[in-house]
Amino acid sequence: MKMSELYVPTLREIPSEAEIPSHQLLLRAGMMRKLVSGIYSYLPLGYRVIRKIEKIVREEMDKSGCQELLMSAIQPKELWVESGRWENYGPEMFKLEDRNNREFCLGPTHEEYFTALIKDEIKSYKQLPLNLYQIQTKYRDEKRPRFGLIRSREFIMKDAYSFDRDFQGMKAAYQNMWDAYEKVFKKLRLKFKIVEGDSGAMGGNESHEFIALSEVGEGRIAYCDNCEYAATDEKAKVSYDLKCKDEEEKKVEKVYTPDLRTIEEVSAFLKIEGCNFAKALIYKAKDEIVFALIPGDRELNEIKLCHYLGIAEHELELADEDVIKEITGACVGFSGPIGLKKGVRLLVDSRITKMKNFVVGANETNYHLRNVNYNRDFSGEVVEDLLLVKEGDLCPKCGEHLKMDRGIEVGNIFQLGTKYSKSLNATYLDENGKGQYFYMGSYGIGVSRTAAAIVEQCHDDKGIIWPLIVTPYHVIITVINVKDQSQTDLGEKIYKELDKLGLEVILDDRNERAGVKFNDRDLIGIPIRITVGKRAKENIVEYSLRASEDNMEINTDKIIENIKREFKNQDLDIKEI
Amino acid sequence: MKMSELYVPTLREIPSEAEIPSHQLLLRAGMMRKLVSGIYSYLPLGYRVIRKIEKIVREEMDKSGCQELLMSAIQPKELWVESGRWENYGPEMFKLEDRNNREFCLGPTHEEYFTALIKDEIKSYKQLPLNLYQIQTKYRDEKRPRFGLIRSREFIMKDAYSFDRDFQGMKAAYQNMWDAYEKVFKKLRLKFKIVEGDSGAMGGNESHEFIALSEVGEGRIAYCDNCEYAATDEKAKVSYDLKCKDEEEKKVEKVYTPDLRTIEEVSAFLKIEGCNFAKALIYKAKDEIVFALIPGDRELNEIKLCHYLGIAEHELELADEDVIKEITGACVGFSGPIGLKKGVRLLVDSRITKMKNFVVGANETNYHLRNVNYNRDFSGEVVEDLLLVKEGDLCPKCGEHLKMDRGIEVGNIFQLGTKYSKSLNATYLDENGKGQYFYMGSYGIGVSRTAAAIVEQCHDDKGIIWPLIVTPYHVIITVINVKDQSQTDLGEKIYKELDKLGLEVILDDRNERAGVKFNDRDLIGIPIRITVGKRAKENIVEYSLRASEDNMEINTDKIIENIKREFKNQDLDIKEI
């Protein structure tokens, strides 16, 4: 393709709304455009990347025995009511009505729909196992769409659903998808970790996330270098050495702590460490008020709290000042477990029960209580673990200290068990003619998000550095001076030769300054570059890679050999392309 | 793929809701399933067909210089308000709100969006011409979704949009797309006609439709065998020999026509031919009542009426009995142009002005008037042509008699001119630095509808007969008796050999009766069939084509030669696959 004809509207300025490199670069490189918050178009170069990612996903899915189909994005309300997710899914679901006022949603995911599809058609155990996938546009009305393709409202996803006779079958399907996903992300040359995930709105049993490592990732993971343990911070089970002294229970004292509302302030004032405080968090949880108490030096994990309460994430929110005043009788900052209004549900992280003589809010403005002890002074529902993991906590498998990292969730796999087959009453007949619920799994890859994750891992301050396997074009030929006939002729000649080999080539034939062309090619990140300049008459061109600083002059008859070497370096064969 | 693993839920019974062959067969062959009215899923076999059609469309678009991208399906209301189509598009548009109550639609088409995309990015005439396309899921909330993929509410479409400097440029882009479309539909082996179309909701100038010929098609076309003229019935200009006698204007007579309401009834009663009647049609057209008068033996073309009135199709509806009574003073069946209530807009087809002594309703229940004459007895707005074309009308180009045919609209091309660039204020700078509006074209191919059109043209009473270029698999190998080891071994051996050649092969290895397998293979329509039966030990198999009755016994070493011949017959090379 000639650059003069290619639609690549590059931008010099960083668009103000773009906070992270992939978002900035995909916009600047003319690969995508924003329509409205969280909704993007893929321009020609960007869409070539998307399609290449899709191709790799498709190949690995097909190899794994998964069969491709395509469902509608529109789904009727009834399916979601049956599964109980019409309400539960919350405001992230785009809902609409048709001209006859029938209610629908735009599928954020397709568990219900696949279950309903299979339900009346797979009748016998002989037709199992079955694994079906689609690559489709999905819709989630994110509360805070951001980071471009990383958290958008309309996005491309590969989703697969497996149907098995029993738990063992489901486990095998899960492992099969695990292996296929590893292959996909390795092929895409992503640095990633596979971590235990939270099943969230999916329900079901075990789940894992494939996290592309990245500083800007919204996902935080805890992992152990000693063993294989790794989990999202939402999921990771918290274990750590409590610094509680084995001392006598002392007498409760009320202390005057004027205007000191945070644990840091009170801790400094009383000269008592934060770990000897019990921190109160008050929530509106669906229809009730919940008072959670955790060690003062820790953060609460809201996902764990939701699971314990059996509510959806969007049903939990921090209580406002009025509510706090009503249930504690005091201003914000002085809440404690003693003397709460009746009817408030008091949840106590299990660590609190082991602490001695700790500080809590007095439920009286400007006062705290010290030397409070669980059981003696108050009691509540003890919850084993309400805490968010942090660096240095103990590995729940081997006891070593955990490390933390950040990343972008590019894939996830879920063991759903019989959650959906039961709620939608989907059964097959076993050998004895007896109806049995399907054991299901569901498996997602964020295709558009993966494109962004690749950019996060493959860029420098000049632009993107595409791996050959997903680059929109393999080679860019830059003609320095298009008014020099020998240069344009040679550029054209090389362009045709490489094209004939099946390589995807851009010929930058624009009548622009060399600097503009160099900046554009750095920005759009084509991996292999050929520069045709003054020595065109001698058949000498410059050959360089986007990923390295090296730049060498070579005779044109060495071009193909060099390109082949680079393909080989990236574990590819030109013929594969 | 082994049939035992492939998800192809064939049905024996014809689903009751399916009225036409493609709808019935795509369901029965396990290629698609209905979710709700007008919304379908493509199952694995069906989706392979869709993807093959997409591939051919993509290839021809790319060859024509069109660049692929992908826009979002969700579009904000504002864009459509600017173009004036938010209201105009009518109830066919799916509308929705996001969590912040911002209004959106699901794109039924993308003229506004592409114009807005280009608007701020293409700044100079140097960047033109430009032609962009996408293959995308589109949404139209059809009033009467039916015929399966032919009129569905969520469907796959290729849409392209060209941007040019001027009218000439637009014409060239239009011709370029015309040529590409011809290639696409020829490759797909469709029998089709290219006909003048009505621009409808698109606006703009010239347009053409690509109509796949089919008895069940909803589209009716008029065409001339003498010249190249062809047009949709919505568009075709009506011209015919009026059978009006050149006689004196006689005196108006009121005649008693008790309970005779239709022209047929009154015609028989009065012994006057229908062509000597003036037929009245009363409409609610947006905010007014319109009384249209046409020759008694013709049908009114509502599209032409809408264009004349400058309203959208959904804004026109036949008036109900109460309205008719109010404006005519009579019951339905006795309406006429004389003595209408004031304020009613009277439209008169130009042919009426040439008729003599015709019959009209008397605007009095049970009475008609005869010997009525235009001008002498009444007058109104004369409209040149309000009629629907019919067989035998005169070709507006050469005067020969027209023929009529039916078909399915699989593609359309529109010259939009500056309609959208003006309404969205999209300009580029010409050589003199002066802002000029883009000249645009828009071009659609109904991908999923095309699949149905192919089935309409390629089936018999046993099932589908896929052309090789779009068949889900090229070859099916049927093992008659899977308990006979020599048969299963030979089936497996041929399967592997053909697979190695890059052919797409189904091995029917199911433990089913031969009759079941034969029925299924006829139904799903795989073009090349190999039957492995009793003579497996001698390496003799049966070879047959789905499209013919012939069945021959051949040695296995002749299989590839036979397959190659069939590919050649269909203008394909195995290597192309």
Side-chain angles (χ1 to χ4, degrees), chain A residues 172-190:
Chain A
Y174 190 78
Q175 188 58 47
N176 186 30
M177 285 293 101
W178 176 306
D179 296 343
Y181 277 34
E182 274 198 292
K183 283 180 197 145
V184 166
F185 295 119
K186 277 182 186 163
K187 271 199 174 174
L188 292 172
R189 307 179 83 76
L190 274 177

Side-chain angles (χ1 to χ4, degrees), chain B residues 444-490:
Chain B
I445 289 180
V447 172
S448 39
R449 183 185 277 184
T450 294
I454 294 171
V455 176
E456 285 302 335
Q457 291 189 359
C458 306
H459 72 272
D460 61 17
D461 54 0
K462 292 178 187 162
I464 306 171
I465 308 170
W466 291 112
L468 269 173
I469 193 149
V470 293
T471 183
Y473 287 86
H474 303 119
V475 182
I476 183 163
I477 303 166
T478 307
V479 176
I480 297 280
N481 179 2
V482 293
K483 284 170 188 158
D484 177 340
Q485 194 63 36
S486 62
Q487 292 187 28
T488 53
D489 287 353
L490 186 61

Side-chain angles (χ1 to χ4, degrees), chain A residues 90-138:
Chain A
E92 257 187 36
M93 204 193 294
F94 276 110
K95 292 175 180 174
L96 73 161
E97 287 185 5
D98 73 2
R99 63 198 294 156
N100 302 315
N101 300 112
R102 182 163 178 188
E103 288 179 87
F104 293 88
C105 70
L106 294 179
T109 176
H110 275 60
E111 280 77 13
E112 284 81 356
Y113 194 166
F114 273 81
T115 310
L117 176 81
I118 290 307
K119 182 177 167 176
D120 299 318
E121 311 242 20
I122 292 282
K123 296 186 180 93
S124 155
Y125 71 95
K126 288 182 201 162
Q127 295 166 278
L128 298 176
L130 183 67
N131 197 344
L132 301 169
Y133 78 99
Q134 59 180 350
I135 296 179
Q136 199 199 32
T137 301
K138 292 276 190 290

Side-chain angles (χ1 to χ4, degrees), chain B residues 85 88-89 197-205 207 209 234-235 303 306-307 311-313 414 416 419-420:
Chain B
R85 291 209 289 181
N88 258 354
Y89 210 95
D198 178 73
S199 301
M202 286 301 160
N205 320 98
S207 81
E209 294 185 5
E234 294 177 341
K235 172 75 175 178
I303 303 291
C306 287
H307 285 335
I311 61 173
E313 286 168 53
F414 295 96
L416 300 175
K419 175 177 158 74
Y420 294 93

Side-chain angles (χ1 to χ4, degrees), chain B residues 243-258:
Chain B
K243 292 197 246 166
C244 49
K245 303 159 226 163
D246 190 17
E247 55 187 16
E248 287 293 297
E249 294 190 350
K250 301 182 189 159
K251 201 181 147 204
V252 175
E253 289 172 28
K254 184 155 109 182
V255 285
Y256 181 56
T257 50

Side-chain angles (χ1 to χ4, degrees), chain A residues 1 4-11 33-37 39-45 47-48 51 54 58 65 67-76 78-79 91-92 94-100 102 104 106 113 116-118 121-122 126-127 129-130 132 135-137 139 141-144 153-154 156, chain B residues 1 4-11 33-37 39-45 47-48 51 54 58 65 67-76 78-79 91-92 94-100 102 104 106 113 116-118 121-122 126-127 129-130 132 135-137 139 141-144 153-154 156:
Chain A
M1 192 82 184
S4 58
E5 293 166 5
L6 194 58
Y7 187 55
V8 195
T10 55
L11 305 173
R33 282 296 178 265
K34 185 176 94 166
L35 175 62
V36 295
S37 170
I39 295 181
Y40 292 87
S41 302
Y42 310 100
L43 301 190
L45 285 194
Y47 196 48
R48 288 177 75 95
R51 287 187 35 85
E54 287 179 357
R58 188 169 272 131
Q67 296 177 56
E68 186 173 10
L69 45 65
L70 182 67
M71 316 286 263
S72 64
I74 288 190
Q75 301 181 25
E78 296 77 14
L79 275 181
E92 257 187 36
F94 276 110
K95 292 175 180 174
L96 73 161
E97 287 185 5
D98 73 2
R99 63 198 294 156
N100 302 315
R102 182 163 178 188
F104 293 88
L106 294 179
Y113 194 166
L117 176 81
I118 290 307
E121 311 242 20
I122 292 282
K126 288 182 201 162
Q127 295 166 278
L130 183 67
L132 301 169
I135 296 179
Q136 199 199 32
T137 301
Y139 297 87
D141 196 359
E142 294 281 351
K143 193 167 182 184
R144 274 180 290 275
R153 299 198 287 170
E154 176 170 332
I156 302 171
Chain B
M1 192 82 186
S4 58
E5 292 165 7
L6 194 58
Y7 186 55
V8 196
T10 55
L11 306 173
R33 283 296 178 264
K34 185 176 94 166
L35 176 63
V36 295
S37 170
I39 295 181
Y40 292 86
S41 303
Y42 311 100
L43 301 191
L45 285 194
Y47 196 50
R48 289 176 76 95
R51 287 188 33 86
E54 287 179 357
R58 188 169 273 131
Q67 295 177 56
E68 186 173 11
L69 46 63
L70 183 66
M71 316 286 263
S72 63
I74 288 190
Q75 301 180 27
E78 295 78 13
L79 275 180
E92 256 186 39
F94 276 110
K95 294 174 180 174
L96 73 161
E97 287 184 6
D98 73 1
R99 63 198 295 156
N100 302 313
R102 183 165 177 187
F104 294 88
L106 295 179
Y113 194 166
L117 177 80
I118 289 307
E121 312 241 20
I122 292 281
K126 289 181 200 162
Q127 295 166 278
L130 184 66
L132 301 170
I135 297 178
Q136 198 199 33
T137 301
Y139 297 87
D141 196 0
E142 295 282 352
K143 194 167 181 183
R144 274 180 290 275
R153 300 198 286 170
E154 175 171 331
I156 302 171

Side-chain angles (χ1 to χ4, degrees), chain B residues 349-393:
Chain B
D349 180 77
S350 62
R351 261 75 37 155
I352 294 288
T353 66
K354 292 170 195 145
M355 286 163 59
K356 285 273 186 302
N357 301 322
F358 47 89
V359 181
V360 301
N363 288 341
E364 183 179 340
T365 303
N366 291 337
Y367 287 93
H368 279 76
L369 301 176
R370 56 193 295 174
N371 299 331
V372 169
N373 287 281
Y374 187 73
N375 259 342
R376 186 191 68 180
D377 303 320
F378 71 98
S379 64
E381 290 173 55
V382 177
V383 185
E384 200 195 333
D385 181 17
L386 284 176
L387 304 187
L388 197 64
V389 70
K390 69 179 188 186
E391 181 107 27
D393 281 354

Side-chain angles (χ1 to χ4, degrees), chain B residues 211-453:
Chain B
I211 304 281
L213 300 176
S214 162
E215 280 174 19
V216 302
E218 293 180 288
R220 295 180 71 241
I221 56 177
Y223 66 97
C224 176
D225 269 344
N226 188 50
C227 72
E228 289 294 286
Y229 181 78
T232 62
D233 65 344
E234 294 177 341
K235 172 75 175 178
K237 195 166 174 296
V238 171
S239 157
Y240 65 103
D241 291 324
L242 267 185
K243 292 197 246 166
C244 49
K245 303 159 226 163
D246 190 17
E247 55 187 16
E248 287 293 297
E249 294 190 350
K250 301 182 189 159
K251 201 181 147 204
V252 175
E253 289 172 28
K254 184 155 109 182
V255 285
Y256 181 56
T257 50
D259 275 339
L260 304 175
R261 286 158 200 270
T262 68
I263 293 201
E264 290 69 34
E265 289 165 349
V266 185
S267 162
F269 179 75
L270 297 180
K271 300 197 173 54
I272 296 176
E273 280 185 281
C275 60
N276 290 318
F277 281 69
K279 187 196 288 187
L281 291 135
I282 303 165
Y283 287 95
K284 287 209 315 217
K286 213 171 173 180
D287 324 308
E288 61 183 352
I289 304 298
V290 168
F291 187 106
L293 203 66
I294 62 169
D297 57 345
R298 303 293 307 204
E299 297 300 319
L300 184 130
N301 181 329
E302 294 189 348
I303 303 291
K304 290 181 182 171
L305 179 57
C306 287
H307 285 335
Y308 180 79
L309 296 171
I311 61 173
E313 286 168 53
H314 68 92
E315 293 171 320
L316 186 77
E317 54 173 333
L318 279 168
D320 59 27
E321 233 176 293
D322 292 345
V323 171
I324 293 173
K325 231 171 189 165
E326 197 203 325
I327 69 155
T328 67
C331 289
V332 176
F334 305 96
S335 307
I338 302 173
L340 284 176
K341 190 180 165 190
K342 287 246 157 37
V344 174
R345 199 166 161 189
L346 173 59
L347 304 187
V348 179
D349 180 77
S350 62
R351 261 75 37 155
I352 294 288
T353 66
K354 292 170 195 145
M355 286 163 59
K356 285 273 186 302
N357 301 322
F358 47 89
V359 181
V360 301
N363 288 341
E364 183 179 340
T365 303
N366 291 337
Y367 287 93
H368 279 76
L369 301 176
R370 56 193 295 174
N371 299 331
V372 169
N373 287 281
Y374 187 73
N375 259 342
R376 186 191 68 180
D377 303 320
F378 71 98
S379 64
E381 290 173 55
V382 177
V383 185
E384 200 195 333
D385 181 17
L386 284 176
L387 304 187
L388 197 64
V389 70
K390 69 179 188 186
E391 181 107 27
D393 281 354
L394 303 179
C395 172
K397 278 204 178 156
C398 75
E400 270 303 309
H401 292 289
L402 292 174
K403 294 185 173 169
M404 298 293 295
D405 215 335
R406 286 190 164 274
I408 299 159
E409 182 190 351
V410 287
N412 51 40
I413 53 179
F414 295 96
Q415 292 174 17
L416 300 175
T418 55
K419 175 177 158 74
Y420 294 93
S421 54
K422 273 189 181 150
S423 62
L424 292 158
N425 197 26
T427 58
Y428 67 92
L429 298 179
D430 67 12
E431 290 92 335
N432 307 314
K434 211 182 136 200
Q436 303 282 1
Y437 292 115
F438 294 102
Y439 274 78
M440 293 174 52
S442 85
Y443 317 93
I445 289 180
V447 172
S448 39
R449 183 185 277 184
T450 294

